[in-house]
Amino acid sequence: MSDEPGTPDTPAGSTGGPRPEPLRFFGTSWVNHDDGYTARRIGVAVGSLAAAGVSCLVLRLAYEGVQLADTGAFVTVLVVAMFAICSALAFRNTWEAFGKRPDPERQASLRGLLAIGFVGSLLAYFFRSLTEAPGEKLHRAEYDTAVQEHEHRTTRRSGDPSKKKRKR
């Protein structure tokens, strides 16, 4: 295993270097932008936007249910504010996760909030897929670093080190 997460070296004795970590919906096509990469990006963008739209319709039904229950304006405002704030926080958290690996403990503590704000996560996924595969920038940086380290480790020295002049 390499020091970088998600970039395992090939087994001992093989000649390859680190392998790229597959991304959801993209596999390893993000490395060379081949194997239907553009079509996949379009599909992910359309799919995440459609899922966000359907989610908004479901939230609308929930809002109408609260209205029908006649719970009062205070509860209605609380429900709307909860979904709006949680969606904004989920968007920010998801967007930041595309640039750096999130802390697992923090992610576990935010699980409920992210579940409530799922619309924000879907929108973050949509906006990121307009420019790249979501998470591609982070994975590319890790992969390039792992490849450079592998090349540095496997580069052979030239000359005999015992004949090297020593500084006094």
Side-chain angles (χ1 to χ4, degrees), residues 90-99 123-125 127-128 131:
F91 180 92
R92 181 174 159 253
N93 187 58
T94 304
W95 192 265
E96 288 176 351
F98 294 142
L123 290 175
Y125 215 77
F127 286 119
R128 182 54 71 131
T131 57

Side-chain angles (χ1 to χ4, degrees), residues 141-154:
E142 290 175 351
Y143 177 66
D144 290 344
T145 301
V147 167
Q148 288 175 354
E149 288 175 358
H150 176 75
E151 288 173 358
H152 180 70
R153 284 191 310 267
T154 57

Side-chain angles (χ1 to χ4, degrees), residues 74-93:
F74 180 71
V75 173
T76 303
V77 168
L78 280 178
V79 168
V80 170
M82 174 192 63
F83 277 109
I85 291 169
C86 289
S87 290
L89 291 173
F91 180 92
R92 181 174 159 253
N93 187 58

Side-chain angles (χ1 to χ4, degrees), residues 43-143:
V44 166
V46 169
S48 59
L49 188 61
V54 169
S55 300
C56 287
L57 291 175
V58 170
L59 290 177
R60 168 82 184 186
L61 290 174
Y63 175 78
E64 288 177 3
V66 170
Q67 289 290 337
L68 286 174
D70 198 27
T71 55
F74 180 71
V75 173
T76 303
V77 168
L78 280 178
V79 168
V80 170
M82 174 192 63
F83 277 109
I85 291 169
C86 289
S87 290
L89 291 173
F91 180 92
R92 181 174 159 253
N93 187 58
T94 304
W95 192 265
E96 288 176 351
F98 294 142
K100 64 178 181 173
R101 296 251 179 208
D103 178 29
E105 291 179 15
R106 183 172 182 262
Q107 286 296 104
S109 67
L110 292 175
R111 187 174 296 137
L113 182 132
L114 296 175
I116 294 170
F118 60 97
V119 175
S121 292
L122 289 169
L123 290 175
Y125 215 77
F126 166 72
F127 286 119
R128 182 54 71 131
S129 65
L130 293 177
T131 57
E132 67 175 9
E136 178 181 348
K137 184 176 181 180
L138 171 66
H139 286 88
R140 185 168 305 281
E142 290 175 351
Y143 177 66

Side-chain angles (χ1 to χ4, degrees), residues 3-28:
D3 291 339
E4 293 297 318
T7 54
D9 286 337
T10 54
S14 66
T15 58
R19 290 175 288 192
E21 183 177 352
L23 290 175
R24 182 181 300 155
F25 305 120
F26 293 91
T28 57

